[in-house]
Amino acid sequence: MDHASILALYDRDMREGAQPDSPDARVERIGRVVRQVSSARGWNGVVWSDLDAASADAAITEQIAHFTGLGHEFEWKLYGHDLPVDLGQRLRDAGFTAQPEETLMIGEVAALTLDAEPPEGIRVLPVTDTKGVDLVAEVHEKAFGTDSSRMRHQLLARLAADPDTVVAVVALAGDTPVSAARMEMVPGTRFAGLWGGGTVEAWRGRGIYRALVAHRARAAVERGYRYLQVDAMSASRPILERLGFAPLTTTTPYVYVP
């Protein structure tokens, strides 16, 4: 896989040409910035920019003014190859708070190891309704220790409005949800994104996360997608590398709270 070419394709299709991630969101291009504007319950932020030292500060100020005017917290998603090279420092100086760094990993589906199956005693169920989404939300809160209301709202809205663009699954031990994940597909591109993969702490290290990655990868193959993309945390990166994903750059969410 030609890493530089794939990263350029990802920037063009998934960032500069971003599509809304929920029915109540819209994507706007303002000068040299692409942003998503949603309700307060959705994701608001900057997904792509083409800035330099002369234009960066003004662009940052404009985005702060826009989202503050809406009363929305928002995120500037900074990639390791974005310019200018000191954009992260400029965001911090403007009042943004950096969240933990992740790694953008991309795998060509045809080259991935897709034979991972759930361990004995674990069954994987598709999520198609409110009951299933509630199970995903339960896993999310236990695995990550964060509020799941935004994720729950977005997943329910997407399943209702665009069910062909999302695959969500939950892993059960008996009737207990122990892991969950989703895949979001972007029509007209070659990329499907793996999101929200999390396992309750007591069930980690048994191969459940790996099995859910393989499950979604097989679904991507069936739907004709060529590449899978993940924003991987440090615990997930080794598993994804063993499956055939390659690290291409870093991502750091910078959050601004009005």
Side-chain angles (χ1 to χ4, degrees):
M1 189 169 66
D2 182 338
H3 291 189
S5 297
I6 299 303
L7 185 57
L9 179 64
Y10 176 84
D11 280 345
R12 187 187 72 198
D13 283 3
M14 304 299 289
R15 300 181 64 206
E16 187 177 3
Q19 298 181 29
D21 68 2
S22 64
D24 60 357
R26 66 183 184 275
V27 171
E28 301 174 340
R29 179 163 187 154
I30 307 298
R32 299 163 77 173
V33 169
V34 173
R35 68 192 180 201
Q36 176 170 294
V37 180
S38 183
S39 67
R41 297 176 68 186
W43 188 88
N44 289 271
V46 172
V47 296
W48 177 87
S49 65
D50 179 25
L51 304 174
D52 55 27
S55 60
D57 290 341
I60 292 169
T61 299
E62 197 281 332
Q63 300 311 312
I64 291 174
H66 178 77
F67 285 106
T68 299
L70 297 174
H72 292 348
E73 171 183 320
F74 76 103
E75 175 185 315
W76 191 302
K77 191 166 184 178
L78 180 67
Y79 288 72
H81 59 293
D82 286 346
L83 297 175
V85 294
D86 64 345
L87 184 54
Q89 183 60 55
R90 290 171 186 258
L91 291 168
R92 290 190 293 272
D93 291 344
F96 288 77
T97 300
Q99 304 301 305
E101 181 182 274
E102 298 178 339
T103 301
L104 173 66
M105 305 188 73
I106 292 179
E108 190 165 7
V109 179
L112 297 178
T113 302
L114 303 180
D115 59 353
E117 296 294 338
E120 185 176 353
I122 299 295
R123 55 195 175 105
V124 176
L125 297 181
V127 172
T128 59
D129 55 18
T130 302
K131 182 179 179 180
V133 172
D134 287 343
L135 293 176
V136 173
E138 181 180 338
V139 169
H140 187 276
E141 293 190 349
K142 290 180 178 178
F144 299 114
T146 57
D147 180 71
S148 65
S149 56
R150 176 182 291 179
M151 182 277 299
R152 183 181 184 278
H153 166 75
Q154 290 178 300
L155 182 53
L156 280 171
R158 194 151 185 167
L159 285 171
D162 298 299
D164 292 337
T165 67
V166 62
V167 171
V169 291
V170 61
L172 301 175
D175 294 324
T176 303
V178 297
S179 187
R182 68 187 189 277
M183 176 173 68
E184 297 178 1
M185 294 157 287
V186 183
T189 76
R190 283 157 281 192
F191 291 91
L194 304 186
W195 299 97
T199 302
V200 176
E201 185 173 4
W203 290 88
R204 293 172 188 165
R206 308 188 191 195
I208 303 175
Y209 174 82
R210 177 187 174 95
L212 294 190
V213 172
H215 178 94
R216 289 174 289 167
R218 290 191 291 267
V221 171
E222 294 170 0
R223 290 160 174 78
Y225 285 86
R226 183 172 179 181
Y227 300 106
L228 286 178
Q229 167 258 320
V230 189
D231 287 349
M233 294 185 290
S234 57
S236 305
R237 178 171 170 170
I239 301 171
L240 293 164
E241 286 183 313
R242 288 194 292 271
L243 287 171
F245 286 79
L248 298 191
T249 188
T250 60
T251 68
T252 305
Y254 282 81
V255 176
Y256 188 92
V257 181

